[in-house]
Amino acid sequence: MSSDVPRGDALFEYAPAPESRDVVDIKPAYGLFIGGEWVDGSSETRSKTIDPSTEEPLAEVVWADAADVDRAVAAARKAHDEVWGPMPGRERAKYLYRLARLIQERSRELAVLESIDNGKPIRESRDVDLPLVAAHFFYHAGWADKLEYAGYGPDPRPLGVAAQVIPWNFPLLMLAWKIAPALACGNTVVLKPAETTPLTALAFAELCRQADLPPGVVNIVTGAGETGRLLVEHPGVDKVAFTGSTEVGKQIARAVAGTAKRLTLELGGKAANIVFDDAPLDQAVEGIVNGIFFNQGHVCCAGSRLLVQETVAEEVLDRLKVRMATLRVGDPLDKNTDIGAINSAAQLERIRALSEIGEREGAERWSPPCELPSRGFWFAPTVFTGVAQSHRIAREEIFGPVLSVLTFRTPAEAVEKANNTPYGLSAGVWTEKGSRILWTAQRLRAGVVWANTFNKFDPAAPFGGYRESGFGREGGRHGLGAYLAGAQR
């Protein structure tokens, strides 16, 4: 795990391969992006975003207050009524395509900025996040002039102004998931990024200017929970889209209830990753690792519960531990890093607390030998065995690199245990039998089921859950309906 430990058969010594920070220019302070311009906030409240791998301050951002939110919504309304709403879809498509191309052109810069601000490994930012960000804008550019063929009526119309609140785990990707379909459908946007990871959203504001996007089509206001509440409850908003915790999602649902606002929620999860005895075990182990340790486990659809058939449980765990011992924890900008920094001190404390509860409740905890950096927020990849369904680590979303292992004997028992959760976002199935994949998937109460893979995303495929994982879909033809008047709620 540390930089001075030989890997594998010791044929090769580890050598750091850091990406340069020089490609990123972070300003000392940022204002709000409203009406196509940078403006000062009305509030005196400021906060500093920090690099979670070093705890060094990066930039100061303002927390928008009620007056700022009023200005942003008014700018979005004006742009919708006068420019963006009446604009032909083929013209909107040109702007979306231009944004996609700019994202590609500046992908290295944006990937480095994302890793600095969020803590995720540069390999993930570079190879997963940024290609998907561009793909969402390309994909929705293609829909902008074809909405009449999306199945939502012959003349689908935009809703108006969309209020969008995104989380800190995939800051730029969640922005793309929200903004691209909204703009393609003719809506304008006021977006609030998470208070700990605003920098790539603010960089995207510069891309909007570079693309000559009409003023007010995209507005970005920074702040914490109170700013989000002001935006969600603003009477000038027609649509609310939120990705984040189930607790906050419930608050938003209550706030929107009784109004004419449309709402989509993508909330928490406690996904089951089911490994049957006929699964290709080496492939399954890679899927388990990707399912829970990708992005430090900061993934709403993470495969945080491993359900493995008893007859292969010991072999799977042995192989998993060998694989976990090869994972590198460290500098997010090192291209060899597998697991970066936890995003914040608060999130690290939650991961630690739930892990300690898991031990007190009787589960057995294991992590590979791991030398963690002395500064920053770090947590070693961890697996718990001997987990019961009643344990909190099997029921609550930890949102960190922590895996709970349970066993099953029959497919019916696997499905019963997988569905024993208030969530319903995702699941994985590992088996060589296509019939078993279909049988299991039909019975799992999850919005997305992966077969012999995990955490694979495509802008053409709808994503979302139900029960306490929220409702509505993002991506694909289904995701367009959330931003079109007259579409089924």
Side-chain angles (χ1 to χ4, degrees):
M1 288 283 181
S2 61
S3 60
D4 58 349
V5 177
R7 311 305 299 174
D9 58 3
L11 286 176
F12 300 100
E13 294 274 342
Y14 165 68
E19 175 62 275
S20 173
R21 294 174 65 110
D22 294 341
V23 299
V24 172
D25 180 21
I26 300 176
K27 299 176 183 177
Y30 290 87
L32 309 172
F33 187 69
I34 297 176
E37 301 290 340
W38 292 106
V39 299
D40 294 329
S42 302
S43 169
E44 294 298 322
T45 306
R46 303 283 194 278
S47 68
K48 285 189 179 294
T49 179
I50 66 171
D51 181 338
S53 69
T54 63
E55 300 180 61
E56 295 176 1
L58 297 172
E60 185 179 80
V61 294
V62 62
W63 287 17
D65 63 10
D68 298 321
V69 172
D70 282 344
R71 281 194 292 169
V73 173
R77 175 64 62 192
K78 186 175 188 294
H80 172 267
D81 293 348
E82 299 179 5
V83 182
W84 198 250
M87 184 183 291
R90 65 182 179 274
E91 297 301 319
R92 293 200 301 268
K94 294 177 183 177
Y95 286 102
L96 286 164
Y97 186 85
R98 194 178 302 166
L99 284 168
R101 291 289 292 155
L102 288 170
I103 289 164
Q104 287 185 320
E105 291 170 9
R106 297 177 62 177
S107 62
R108 183 186 178 198
E109 170 194 350
L110 292 169
V112 172
L113 183 60
E114 193 79 302
S115 289
I116 291 172
D117 200 26
N118 172 275
K120 65 174 63 187
I122 185 63
R123 187 159 47 83
E124 293 179 5
S125 300
R126 179 195 64 195
D127 297 343
V128 180
D129 292 36
L130 263 298
L132 277 172
V133 170
H136 272 273
F137 280 94
F138 277 126
Y139 175 78
H140 287 95
W143 269 118
D145 64 343
K146 305 175 188 67
L147 295 174
E148 60 189 283
Y149 306 108
Y152 298 110
D155 186 28
R157 309 300 301 166
L159 294 171
V161 175
Q164 303 177 328
V165 180
I166 59 174
W168 47 260
N169 57 336
F170 291 93
L172 194 58
L173 182 56
M174 291 298 99
L175 176 149
W177 280 31
K178 297 286 188 292
I179 288 182
L183 298 193
C185 293
N187 302 275
T188 54
V189 166
V190 182
L191 179 134
K192 190 199 85 70
E195 61 266 33
T196 61
T197 55
L199 297 187
T200 45
L202 296 169
F204 180 80
E206 286 292 347
L207 294 187
C208 292
R209 296 184 68 173
Q210 193 175 349
D212 291 326
L213 195 69
V217 173
V218 170
N219 306 273
I220 296 176
V221 294
T222 48
E226 176 62 13
T227 303
R229 185 191 67 79
L230 291 168
L231 180 58
V232 165
E233 296 180 0
H234 196 284
V237 164
D238 303 296
K239 157 76 180 176
V240 174
F242 172 77
T243 296
S245 71
T246 296
E247 179 185 354
V248 176
K250 290 178 179 179
Q251 296 173 8
I252 291 174
R254 286 191 288 267
V256 171
T259 72
K261 296 174 184 175
R262 295 275 290 277
L263 176 65
T264 52
L265 298 172
E266 196 267 279
L267 308 176
K270 194 69 179 176
N273 212 355
I274 305 171
V275 179
F276 287 100
D277 57 6
D278 65 337
L281 295 189
D282 285 336
Q283 182 181 341
V285 166
E286 289 303 309
I288 294 165
V289 168
N290 182 49
I292 186 57
F293 300 128
F294 173 67
N295 198 36
Q296 298 75 254
H298 298 334
V299 186
C300 52
C301 54
S304 54
R305 289 183 299 148
L306 172 61
L307 303 183
V308 59
Q309 202 153 12
E310 281 187 359
T311 51
V312 294
E314 185 175 351
E315 183 177 2
V316 168
L317 282 171
D318 287 343
R319 296 192 191 196
L320 177 61
K321 289 179 179 180
V322 169
R323 179 67 178 90
M324 287 173 63
T326 70
L327 296 174
R328 293 193 179 280
V329 181
D331 181 7
L333 290 186
D334 189 331
K335 302 180 188 71
N336 296 293
T337 294
D338 298 296
I339 299 177
I342 302 303
N343 180 252
S344 67
Q347 185 59 30
L348 177 59
E349 178 56 34
R350 173 174 173 79
I351 296 168
R352 285 174 172 167
L354 284 170
S355 296
E356 290 167 3
I357 289 170
E359 287 187 281
R360 290 202 298 269
E361 290 182 334
E364 184 177 344
R365 177 177 180 173
W366 183 87
S367 294
C370 185
E371 182 180 330
L372 300 178
S374 58
R375 293 194 63 191
F377 312 128
W378 306 94
F379 196 88
T382 300
V383 58
F384 278 96
T385 53
V387 178
Q389 293 187 84
S390 59
H391 288 172
R392 285 183 63 182
I393 56 172
R395 293 184 289 110
E396 296 184 25
E397 186 178 38
I398 300 174
F399 223 60
V402 180
L403 178 66
S404 298
V405 182
L406 301 93
T407 60
F408 65 90
R409 293 182 179 180
T410 67
E413 183 185 357
V415 170
E416 182 179 358
K417 286 186 173 180
N419 289 337
N420 185 25
T421 173
Y423 298 106
L425 188 57
S426 63
V429 181
W430 298 85
T431 172
E432 289 188 339
K433 294 184 176 67
S435 58
R436 179 171 284 172
I437 291 171
L438 295 174
W439 183 92
T440 307
Q442 288 170 351
R443 289 161 176 78
L444 291 173
R445 295 200 293 268
V448 177
V449 179
W450 286 291
N452 292 329
T453 189
F454 209 92
N455 276 339
K456 298 296 182 183
F457 304 96
D458 190 294
F463 180 87
Y466 57 100
R467 297 196 294 177
E468 291 198 9
S469 290
F471 53 84
R473 294 294 179 266
E474 294 182 298
R477 182 186 65 82
H478 303 76
L480 298 171
Y483 291 95
L484 292 171
Q488 186 175 358
R489 294 176 181 237

